[in-house]
Amino acid sequence: MSSTYTGERRTHLRALAEILPEHGLVGRMMGGDDPMLRVWHPGTGRQTIIFATLTPGGWVFLWSSGGQGRADDLDRTARALRHTLDTPPPG
């Protein structure tokens, strides 16, 4: 049985996944008892995995290249994700 923490994490990741299409992104839940969100940009083909964690300030999403966003501001988080996946990789 999943813990309350896992259930909350899954709820936040699903909420983010639901608004991604409004920002030109696609998301897919994965991970079973350790939920994560795979996000990709259909235009650039770039992708990342999103983790959600509880901090003293509330739930936060984390992704590669130091990206992060707050679960209580999904629109801003989705814009930051879009920016990350729009930007060509360094080098």
Side-chain angles (χ1 to χ4, degrees), residues 33-82:
D33 287 339
D34 293 314
M36 296 170 273
L37 179 63
R38 178 176 168 236
V39 178
W40 67 96
H41 185 305
T44 66
R46 295 194 65 210
Q47 57 186 314
T48 193
I49 301 293
I50 311 298
F51 298 92
T53 190
L54 184 58
T55 69
W59 283 90
V60 175
F61 300 109
L62 304 170
W63 60 91
S64 64
S65 301
Q68 69 178 19
R70 297 182 52 85
D72 62 0
D73 194 346
L74 295 175
D75 194 57
R76 178 178 280 181
T77 297
R79 286 193 312 267
L81 272 166
R82 173 69 191 242

